Amino acid sequence: MTRNFRKMYSVIGALLLLEFLAQFYTIASSAFTSVADKIANAGNPTAASAVDEPDLFGAAHAVIGVFVVPLTIAALIGVSVGARYPRRTTVLAALLFLLWLIQFALAFVGFLGVAALAGLHGVNALAMVGLGIYLVKSNWAFGRPTPAQAPPTSNSTR
């Protein structure tokens, strides 16, 4: 049973990393769309601004970041308990949730217009990715067994 939870942990962790990749993709696409719209409408002051139009990439970034990522992190925390990983692993997964809370707060600060502080949103995102990669890599349940799991081998000396 523990082995199945460990595999679930690996799958959920990999899914979280894909969600992080989607976050970078959607926010970059949103930024380029916004800039392209401003360039296209630079000479026409009567054209609708990019703020008035819905930005699908920005909306996707918000939905993934507000709903999908925290649910995945919560699942990662729960499965780490079920997998009977060391307390350190569960605490680090909980730290990832704390970083998400900070990420959410930094986005909120950005919408209030405090750009200098909101810029830490990107720095915090990199910290989340780094911690996510560490958690997935150090607890990967597929592939070669770790030395503790490997069957004993006979090393004969000559």
Side-chain angles (χ1 to χ4, degrees):
M1 186 71 159
T2 303
R3 186 174 62 191
N4 289 337
F5 273 108
R6 290 180 180 220
K7 288 183 178 183
M8 285 173 50
Y9 183 92
S10 294
V11 170
I12 292 169
L15 180 63
L16 181 65
L17 294 178
L18 286 173
E19 291 168 10
F20 288 160
L21 180 64
Q23 285 294 83
F24 282 106
Y25 174 80
T26 55
I27 200 61
S29 297
S30 176
F32 283 117
T33 300
S34 175
V35 169
D37 285 345
K38 287 181 181 179
I39 291 171
N41 295 326
N44 188 2
T46 60
S49 68
V51 176
D52 297 335
E53 298 174 16
D55 176 13
L56 295 179
F57 290 112
H61 182 80
V63 168
I64 294 168
V66 172
F67 299 109
V68 180
V69 169
L71 289 174
T72 306
I73 294 171
L76 196 67
I77 295 167
V79 172
S80 72
V81 172
R84 298 185 182 190
Y85 277 129
R87 179 174 298 192
R88 181 177 189 270
T89 299
T90 305
V91 168
L92 287 175
L95 175 63
L96 192 59
F97 191 79
L98 177 64
L99 288 174
W100 174 81
L101 288 173
I102 293 168
Q103 188 74 350
F104 185 81
L106 289 170
F108 186 76
V109 166
F111 291 124
L112 293 177
V114 187
L117 186 58
L120 293 174
H121 184 81
V123 175
N124 191 59
L126 293 175
M128 291 177 70
V129 169
L131 180 55
I133 290 171
Y134 172 78
L135 286 170
V136 170
K137 187 176 177 184
S138 62
N139 298 295
W140 190 249
F142 299 100
R144 287 189 280 160
T146 61
Q149 297 171 334
T153 58
S154 61
N155 291 335
S156 59
T157 57
R158 296 181 195 192

